[in-house]
Amino acid sequence: MSSEAGSVKRGKRGDGSIRRTKHGTYEYRISYYDEYGQRRSKSFTCKTIDECVDRAEEFKKEVSMRMKFIRPNATISEILRNKAKIDYEKNHTGEQGYDRTLSTIEILERGGIGNMKIADVRPRQIEQYLSSITYYSNAVIGKIYGLLRAAFRMAYDARIIEYNYMLMPELRCPKSDKPDKKMRALTDEEQKKLLKALEKMRSNPEGLVFCDHIKGSIIETTQVNSFFRRITEKAGIPVTGQHALRHSFATRCIEAGVPAVVLKKWLGHTDIHITLDTYADVFARMDFSAADKFDELMESMELGWKTEP
């Protein structure tokens, strides 16, 4: 390469052009496409050609990560919030699923690890965090663990991190200190009691099931369980939370013969196996019912055959 100032040659590495400045440094100029698809150019001035090329490569890596909606210094929380927002805007998740994801991300933030730059997180810190969340239920722990795995997978794909620590066998999902609560559906009799209790409630302009009649306003989402618990206690129904309504709805659907694939869509499950596993006992009970109907049909056919002249 000529040592004269202003002379331009193609770089030996990379895809840019290099020239020697009048100050004795090198200027490396490259073209690239930004996150909006616009062709742009950028220059890097250093003492050596290798320094110029290295800085350009780092810059192109940063642009590539921005195009994947991940900053090089992104925190775990930032990565997950961006992904949740994109999935919601593209209708991959509904409003309830989006809210649940944000609530789980807030747990990560309160625990500290969510506010850390993912490039700075090490296995020991992950292990310590996982050991600290065992007071949550297994359902919540599973969501937290799943989001951590997703964040590290996306960071690895975007080349922010060199190794996906969440694939290490020792970083397994922890188990809760609490025993799993068995969620059950309302029985037919309990369902009738609940409906009678709801009929006795005062009406409100919005036609809502739960309303703060004293303040004359809509209640917060965090208050729904308290309102529901008071109603069930008055009705003499031994349930612990409003999730029993969802479980009851799904159970009634299965009993009515609604196919699992349809129920999956109604419940907002991302995988049919979630539906089948959650309501396995109900599906099994319906299998027995279907078998009984088949036996009755065969018996009637056999009886008809025997009575023929």
Side-chain angles (χ1 to χ4, degrees), residues 177-208:
D177 298 331
K178 305 175 181 178
D180 288 333
K181 292 182 178 178
K182 180 65 176 178
M183 180 57 64
R184 69 176 186 85
L186 297 175
T187 64
D188 291 342
E189 187 61 32
E190 289 171 341
Q191 188 170 310
K192 292 176 183 177
K193 288 182 179 180
L194 178 62
L195 291 175
K196 287 183 179 179
L198 293 175
E199 289 174 356
K200 295 178 182 179
M201 293 178 62
R202 283 183 289 173
S203 60
N204 57 82
E206 290 80 13
L208 300 173

Side-chain angles (χ1 to χ4, degrees), residues 78-132:
E78 181 182 338
I79 293 172
L80 293 173
R81 284 184 179 275
N82 287 341
K83 180 63 167 60
K85 183 179 179 182
I86 292 170
D87 286 346
Y88 178 63
E89 291 175 344
K90 291 183 176 180
N91 295 320
H92 292 315
T93 57
E95 186 172 350
Q96 290 184 340
Y98 179 54
D99 289 340
R100 285 195 297 269
T101 299
L102 293 183
S103 296
T104 308
I105 294 173
E106 289 175 0
I107 294 176
L108 287 165
E109 292 171 341
R110 290 197 297 271
I113 195 169
N115 301 316
M116 295 180 65
K117 297 177 182 178
I118 197 165
D120 295 339
V121 179
R122 296 294 178 264
R124 179 59 180 166
Q125 294 164 314
I126 301 173
E127 180 64 43
Q128 290 176 340
Y129 176 73
L130 293 177
S131 298
S132 73

Side-chain angles (χ1 to χ4, degrees), residues 30-45:
I30 64 169
S31 296
Y32 70 97
Y33 289 93
D34 64 16
E35 57 264 48
Y36 305 103
Q38 300 295 317
R39 184 179 176 85
R40 299 185 180 279
S41 61
K42 187 172 177 62
S43 297
F44 303 88
T45 303

Side-chain angles (χ1 to χ4, degrees), residues 18-296:
I18 299 174
R19 76 179 185 89
R20 187 82 176 267
T21 70
K22 62 181 180 180
H23 301 293
T25 56
Y26 292 93
E27 182 185 59
Y28 183 39
R29 189 176 184 84
I30 64 169
S31 296
Y32 70 97
Y33 289 93
D34 64 16
E35 57 264 48
Y36 305 103
Q38 300 295 317
R39 184 179 176 85
R40 299 185 180 279
S41 61
K42 187 172 177 62
S43 297
F44 303 88
T45 303
C46 304
K47 292 181 179 180
T48 66
I49 295 176
D50 284 345
E51 286 182 75
C52 288
V53 174
D54 288 341
R55 284 185 57 190
E57 290 300 314
E58 284 296 318
F59 173 76
K60 288 190 288 186
K61 178 181 176 181
E62 181 177 339
V63 172
S64 176
M65 286 185 286
R66 283 207 306 266
M67 293 177 70
K68 295 179 180 179
F69 306 100
I70 302 179
R71 297 186 308 107
N73 293 324
T75 63
I76 291 176
S77 172
E78 181 182 338
I79 293 172
L80 293 173
R81 284 184 179 275
N82 287 341
K83 180 63 167 60
K85 183 179 179 182
I86 292 170
D87 286 346
Y88 178 63
E89 291 175 344
K90 291 183 176 180
N91 295 320
H92 292 315
T93 57
E95 186 172 350
Q96 290 184 340
Y98 179 54
D99 289 340
R100 285 195 297 269
T101 299
L102 293 183
S103 296
T104 308
I105 294 173
E106 289 175 0
I107 294 176
L108 287 165
E109 292 171 341
R110 290 197 297 271
I113 195 169
N115 301 316
M116 295 180 65
K117 297 177 182 178
I118 197 165
D120 295 339
V121 179
R122 296 294 178 264
R124 179 59 180 166
Q125 294 164 314
I126 301 173
E127 180 64 43
Q128 290 176 340
Y129 176 73
L130 293 177
S131 298
S132 73
I133 61 174
T134 56
Y135 62 91
Y136 287 108
S137 67
N138 280 318
V140 174
I141 291 173
K143 292 174 183 177
I144 295 172
Y145 187 78
L147 286 184
L148 276 177
R149 285 179 64 92
F152 274 84
R153 183 181 65 250
M154 288 185 287
Y156 179 77
D157 290 343
R159 297 183 180 180
I160 294 179
I161 55 177
E162 295 182 0
Y163 188 78
N164 183 354
Y165 294 130
M166 290 303 294
L167 295 180
M168 296 174 63
E170 55 266 39
L171 294 180
R172 294 181 296 174
C173 184
K175 299 294 184 181
S176 175
D177 298 331
K178 305 175 181 178
D180 288 333
K181 292 182 178 178
K182 180 65 176 178
M183 180 57 64
R184 69 176 186 85
L186 297 175
T187 64
D188 291 342
E189 187 61 32
E190 289 171 341
Q191 188 170 310
K192 292 176 183 177
K193 288 182 179 180
L194 178 62
L195 291 175
K196 287 183 179 179
L198 293 175
E199 289 174 356
K200 295 178 182 179
M201 293 178 62
R202 283 183 289 173
S203 60
N204 57 82
E206 290 80 13
L208 300 173
V209 176
F210 304 112
C211 182
D212 192 332
H213 296 285
I214 298 176
K215 294 182 179 180
S217 61
I218 299 174
I219 66 173
E220 299 289 336
T221 53
T222 54
Q223 297 176 290
V224 175
N225 262 334
S226 297
F227 275 70
F228 179 70
R229 191 174 294 111
R230 285 199 290 270
I231 293 174
T232 54
E233 286 176 355
K234 290 180 180 179
I237 303 173
V239 294
T240 57
Q242 57 159 331
H243 198 74
L245 296 176
R246 176 183 172 90
H247 207 72
S248 299
F249 168 76
T251 300
R252 297 292 99 83
C253 286
I254 298 170
E255 291 172 348
V258 175
V261 66
V262 176
L263 186 59
K264 164 191 169 293
K265 183 176 181 180
W266 288 355
L267 295 176
H269 289 161
T270 56
D271 193 318
I272 187 66
H273 293 95
I274 297 175
T275 311
L276 296 173
D277 292 343
T278 304
Y279 303 101
D281 56 333
V282 187
F283 281 113
R285 190 168 71 244
M286 296 311 295
D287 284 345
F288 293 141
S289 177
D292 289 341
K293 290 181 180 179
F294 177 75
D295 288 340
E296 291 175 4

